[in-house]
Amino acid sequence: MTNEKLSTSEQSLAKTLFKAYSTGKALDMAEYADVVTNDASAYRVQDYLTELKGEKIGGYKVSLTSKETQDLFDADAPLYGAQIDSHVVQGPHTFDNAKLMEPLAEVELVFKAKEELSRTDSLEELLNKTLVAPAIEAPDSRFSDWFPALPKHLVMADAAVGGYIVYGTEKEASSVFSSVEQVANVHCQLFQNDVLLKDGVATEVLGNPLNSLHWLTEKLATQGRVIETGQRVSSGTFLLPEKLTAGKWQAVFDNGLGEVNLSVVE
């Protein structure tokens, strides 16, 4: 990634996003809606923003993996965001609310690559090449009042509104699931302060979270990239997100996956 590939306006947007990321001062989306108007431009901005953060890529998040979420953002396909290493953390984890902007809570499966993953891998090969863990993803944006009004290309530019990925105990995916089809049968419950907020199902994630992981390998391949050994992928939410407010949060998964916990303190 070199700055020369970006237009002046794309460079400016990436630097503006980085300043908002660094200071916690939110931007007005209306001022930037016309800067990026196609996927290629949005991903160029995201690449430069990732570069400015000065950390290695710890993994990726895949967004808009259900028709419901695609409809919210006027999209017909998923999108991804590169996530820096320090924002992919093992639970239980505690957040200081003052260091977040306008975060949400989603429940997902996270896959960790035991070896390089590529577009030629079948779903069964992806199952055998990964660890799996329950997760709560906390999408967050550099734009104020962003959900669900943020234009799709600004979502993409802003690292797919990347915040944090909090994952639980990792297990061999092939030992948790006896088949590819079983991955689609995962159910989850999301609690705040021990109160059940929502139930979610894995079929919301492109029919099967492994489809999401495979989609990402194909998308990255078009950009000359692969999912590298050790990187994690948050594969898509089982349910429409909740606002991540102060308190204790817990996501409980079946199929022997266990739970993941985080807290937000004022």
Side-chain angles (χ1 to χ4, degrees):
M1 174 66 211
T2 59
N3 296 353
E4 288 74 18
K5 295 180 181 178
L6 281 79
S7 68
T8 301
S9 60
E10 289 168 350
Q11 287 192 45
S12 177
L13 176 57
K15 291 176 179 177
T16 301
L17 285 167
F18 179 68
K19 183 177 180 180
Y21 162 82
S22 302
T23 64
K25 294 181 179 179
L27 306 172
D28 180 351
M29 70 180 79
E31 296 180 17
Y32 303 93
D34 296 330
V35 176
V36 284
T37 56
N38 59 70
D39 290 6
S41 176
Y43 280 127
R44 284 195 296 270
V45 173
Q46 182 188 135
D47 284 347
Y48 188 29
L49 173 62
T50 304
E51 196 175 295
L52 290 171
K53 291 175 181 176
E55 288 189 41
K56 70 177 183 178
I57 295 175
Y60 298 88
K61 58 165 291 187
V62 185
S63 296
L64 308 191
T65 51
S66 70
K67 185 179 187 305
E68 194 170 18
T69 53
Q70 288 176 8
D71 288 347
L72 284 174
F73 290 91
D74 193 26
D76 58 7
L79 56 88
Y80 79 84
Q83 307 302 296
I84 57 175
D85 198 50
S86 63
H87 283 224
V88 183
V89 297
Q90 185 164 18
H93 188 79
T94 299
F95 291 106
D96 180 346
N97 194 44
K99 295 184 179 179
L100 302 170
M101 295 180 72
E102 293 185 27
L104 304 178
E106 299 178 339
V107 295
E108 321 219 351
L109 289 183
V110 163
F111 296 94
K112 180 183 180 180
K114 297 190 295 180
E115 56 187 281
E116 184 179 288
L117 307 181
S118 73
R119 73 187 311 172
T120 60
D121 290 328
S122 67
L123 297 186
E124 186 172 5
E125 287 171 325
L126 291 175
L127 187 67
N128 290 323
K129 287 184 174 184
T130 56
L131 305 178
V132 67
I136 297 175
E137 189 204 325
D140 204 1
S141 179
R142 274 33 72 185
F143 297 96
S144 60
D145 300 321
W146 68 272
F147 184 80
L150 189 63
K152 181 189 75 169
H153 291 117
L154 287 181
V155 171
M156 297 168 77
D158 191 18
V161 291
Y164 285 84
I165 298 167
V166 182
Y167 62 91
T169 300
E170 295 178 315
K171 302 177 181 179
E172 293 281 345
S174 58
S175 67
V176 174
F177 302 111
S178 59
S179 67
V180 166
E181 291 73 25
Q182 190 184 347
V183 184
N185 294 326
V186 177
H187 297 75
C188 176
Q189 293 180 311
L190 178 65
F191 297 85
Q192 182 186 21
N193 297 326
D194 299 318
V195 176
L196 176 63
L197 299 180
K198 284 182 177 176
D199 295 272
V201 293
T203 51
E204 286 296 302
V205 186
L206 297 180
N208 185 319
L210 285 174
N211 290 333
S212 174
L213 183 59
H214 189 265
W215 173 87
L216 181 61
T217 65
E218 291 191 317
K219 184 64 179 179
L220 290 175
T222 67
Q223 301 169 343
R225 304 176 187 178
V226 295
I227 298 170
E228 299 175 0
T229 303
Q231 290 182 332
R232 294 177 173 86
V233 176
S234 189
S235 55
T237 184
F238 287 26
L239 45 77
L240 281 179
E242 292 284 324
K243 288 186 176 181
L244 185 66
T245 52
K248 180 180 72 172
W249 292 78
Q250 180 185 55
V252 181
F253 293 70
D254 62 11
N255 280 266
L257 286 158
E259 64 187 49
V260 59
N261 296 273
L262 66 84
S263 298
V264 180
V265 296
E266 297 287 0

Short mmCIF file of all heavy atoms in Angstrom, two decimals, residues 20 71 91 99 148 157 193 195 229 258 261 264:
data_model
loop_
_atom_site.label_atom_id
_atom_site.label_comp_id
_atom_site.label_asym_id
_atom_site.label_seq_id
_atom_site.Cartn_x
_atom_site.Cartn_y
_atom_site.Cartn_z
N ALA A 20 -9.73 11.31 14.17
CA ALA A 20 -10.92 11.01 14.98
C ALA A 20 -10.69 9.76 15.83
O ALA A 20 -11.09 9.71 17.00
CB ALA A 20 -12.14 10.83 14.08
N ASP A 71 -29.75 -4.74 3.91
CA ASP A 71 -30.82 -3.79 3.59
C ASP A 71 -30.65 -2.48 4.36
O ASP A 71 -30.96 -1.39 3.84
CB ASP A 71 -32.19 -4.41 3.91
CG ASP A 71 -32.59 -5.48 2.91
OD1 ASP A 71 -31.94 -5.59 1.86
OD2 ASP A 71 -33.55 -6.22 3.21
N GLY A 91 -11.31 -12.41 26.01
CA GLY A 91 -12.15 -12.12 27.15
C GLY A 91 -11.78 -13.02 28.34
O GLY A 91 -11.09 -14.03 28.17
N LYS A 99 -13.22 5.66 26.45
CA LYS A 99 -12.31 5.38 25.33
C LYS A 99 -13.03 4.79 24.12
O LYS A 99 -12.40 4.47 23.11
CB LYS A 99 -11.19 4.45 25.80
CG LYS A 99 -10.30 5.10 26.86
CD LYS A 99 -9.15 4.21 27.26
CE LYS A 99 -8.26 4.90 28.29
NZ LYS A 99 -7.13 4.05 28.72
N PRO A 148 -28.25 3.26 12.08
CA PRO A 148 -27.80 2.56 10.86
C PRO A 148 -27.71 3.49 9.65
O PRO A 148 -27.96 3.05 8.51
CB PRO A 148 -28.90 1.53 10.66
CG PRO A 148 -30.15 2.29 11.08
CD PRO A 148 -29.72 3.24 12.19
N ALA A 157 -14.66 2.45 4.50
CA ALA A 157 -13.47 3.27 4.71
C ALA A 157 -13.04 3.27 6.17
O ALA A 157 -11.84 3.27 6.49
CB ALA A 157 -13.74 4.70 4.24
N ASN A 193 -26.04 -7.49 32.10
CA ASN A 193 -26.34 -7.52 33.54
C ASN A 193 -27.31 -8.66 33.87
O ASN A 193 -28.28 -8.49 34.62
CB ASN A 193 -26.90 -6.18 34.01
CG ASN A 193 -25.91 -5.06 33.84
OD1 ASN A 193 -24.70 -5.25 33.97
ND2 ASN A 193 -26.40 -3.87 33.50
N VAL A 195 -29.56 -10.04 32.18
CA VAL A 195 -30.88 -9.97 31.55
C VAL A 195 -30.73 -10.35 30.07
O VAL A 195 -29.91 -9.78 29.35
CB VAL A 195 -31.48 -8.55 31.65
CG1 VAL A 195 -32.81 -8.45 30.89
CG2 VAL A 195 -31.67 -8.17 33.11
N THR A 229 -1.36 -16.93 8.90
CA THR A 229 -1.31 -17.73 10.11
C THR A 229 -1.38 -16.83 11.35
O THR A 229 -0.66 -15.84 11.45
CB THR A 229 0.00 -18.54 10.16
OG1 THR A 229 0.08 -19.36 9.00
CG2 THR A 229 0.04 -19.42 11.40
N GLY A 258 -19.19 -22.54 24.62
CA GLY A 258 -19.02 -21.81 25.87
C GLY A 258 -19.50 -20.37 25.79
O GLY A 258 -20.44 -20.06 25.06
N ASN A 261 -17.20 -12.98 27.88
CA ASN A 261 -17.65 -11.93 28.79
C ASN A 261 -16.84 -10.65 28.60
O ASN A 261 -15.63 -10.69 28.38
CB ASN A 261 -17.50 -12.39 30.24
CG ASN A 261 -18.38 -13.57 30.57
OD1 ASN A 261 -19.54 -13.42 30.93
ND2 ASN A 261 -17.81 -14.77 30.44
N VAL A 264 -18.23 -2.96 30.56
CA VAL A 264 -18.01 -1.54 30.20
C VAL A 264 -18.21 -0.74 31.46
O VAL A 264 -19.27 -0.81 32.11
CB VAL A 264 -18.97 -1.08 29.10
CG1 VAL A 264 -18.72 0.39 28.76
CG2 VAL A 264 -18.84 -1.94 27.85
#
